[in-house]
Amino acid sequence: RTTSTRLPGKILMQIGGQTMLQRVVERVSAIGYPWVLTIPDTDRELGLYCIEHDMPYFGGPEHDVLARYVTAARLSEADHVIRISADCPFLDVEAARWTVSEHVASNADLTHFIADGRGVEVFRRFALERAERESLASVIGFAWYREHPDEWILAHPADYRIETVKFSVDTAEDMQLARRRAKGALMAKTAPHSLGHEPTRQRLNKNTGGIASPPVSGKDHTVEGFRSTLNPWDAGHPDCTPEPGKLRA
């Protein structure tokens, strides 16, 4: 969103000749899975920017990010969702690929690689849907849980399977894992974005890694055009039923 309290409009500010958002999208695309921006449906500036730059997006409540993720995941029929913040222009692409791979292998509800500005989280859609339902009954911290999609799950570790990915080598087990990753990285050089082995992609079925969205209609940059394209999922909108094959995540 462009309404950051500490630095408003930061995602559209320039960094080395590109906006921060363009840099994030560039790295997200390099991970190798379809993606979509989930933006506040009240953010006119960001919506128009997405239209002008052909960036697929989904509009939803500004402060209910959890609801945005759940709704977009359902409409995309995604089994897994990668969460990457738009203010992380130096996202670690290789670490993100491995985080996805280990998330699938472990069958976790939430897998995260914690690194300020370079980290990534991967959710099972079922876990996000459950967190959305359960957090509705929360009296204390409701706004916090809705604005941060991972917080309800992290606050209830006994109810969800949570995995943390690390890349440092401290033990013999870490060394074995590092060797497996290195082998996978060599294989990936001939098959970009395969996460080192094709079975991982197959196990995610047709819905792999993030959320895809149908393209918005046309390029009407007027206010009315923005209103009609900001949320292509609105009932009755001509794009509400996407073309077959457009939804992959």
Side-chain angles (χ1 to χ4, degrees):
R1 61 179 184 171
T2 59
T3 55
S4 169
T5 54
R6 288 178 292 182
L7 184 59
K10 63 182 178 180
I11 63 173
L12 300 184
M13 292 181 180
Q14 294 282 320
I15 300 177
Q18 291 179 298
T19 64
M20 182 158 65
L21 183 57
Q22 286 175 316
R23 286 184 169 270
V24 173
V25 165
E26 191 174 79
R27 288 183 179 241
V28 168
S29 298
I31 297 173
Y33 298 104
W35 55 270
V36 68
L37 301 173
T38 59
I39 73 174
D41 52 16
T42 54
D43 197 330
R44 179 178 181 275
E45 181 181 10
L46 182 54
L48 290 174
Y49 182 89
C50 291
I51 294 170
E52 291 175 355
H53 292 81
D54 294 319
M55 294 182 177
Y57 63 90
F58 167 83
E62 178 175 5
H63 298 293
D64 197 341
V65 183
L66 178 55
R68 270 193 260 159
Y69 271 65
V70 168
T71 303
R74 284 173 178 163
L75 291 166
S76 299
E77 299 181 349
D79 296 320
H80 303 268
V81 177
I82 301 174
R83 179 193 181 199
I84 296 169
S85 297
D87 57 358
C88 297
F90 302 108
L91 169 72
D92 190 323
V93 174
E94 185 177 23
R97 293 177 187 165
W98 279 114
T99 302
V100 173
S101 181
E102 297 198 13
H103 172 78
V104 176
S106 67
N107 197 34
D109 293 311
L110 165 62
T111 304
H112 53 185
F113 165 50
I114 302 172
D116 190 19
R118 297 176 66 82
V120 63
E121 291 180 314
V122 189
F123 301 86
R124 278 205 309 149
R125 188 183 87 186
F126 174 81
L128 283 173
E129 290 174 330
R130 181 181 172 189
E132 184 192 33
R133 290 193 307 270
E134 293 177 349
S135 63
L136 286 173
S138 174
V139 177
I140 300 176
F142 174 79
W144 174 259
Y145 293 132
R146 306 299 293 194
E147 189 167 358
H148 303 275
D150 58 344
E151 289 297 339
W152 181 266
I153 296 174
L154 293 173
H156 299 84
D159 299 328
Y160 295 88
R161 182 169 181 175
I162 302 170
E163 297 288 341
T164 301
V165 178
K166 58 172 290 194
F167 294 92
S168 59
V169 178
D170 300 309
T171 66
E173 183 180 8
D174 292 340
M175 179 58 73
Q176 291 177 355
L177 179 59
R179 286 169 177 162
R180 290 199 300 272
R181 285 172 173 160
K183 182 179 179 180
L186 290 174
M187 293 172 63
K189 288 183 179 180
T190 58
H193 316 323
S194 67
L195 301 174
H197 47 94
E198 192 60 24
T200 296
R201 183 178 292 277
Q202 294 172 354
R203 287 175 62 188
L204 280 170
N205 301 317
K206 67 178 182 178
N207 303 312
T208 308
I211 306 170
S213 169
V216 295
S217 323
K219 283 209 167 199
D220 182 353
H221 303 311
T222 65
V223 173
E224 288 306 316
F226 168 74
R227 287 173 180 165
S228 68
T229 57
L230 180 57
N231 188 350
W233 302 109
D234 282 339
H237 190 282
D239 286 338
C240 191
T241 304
E243 298 176 28
K246 290 294 185 182
L247 297 182
R248 294 293 183 269

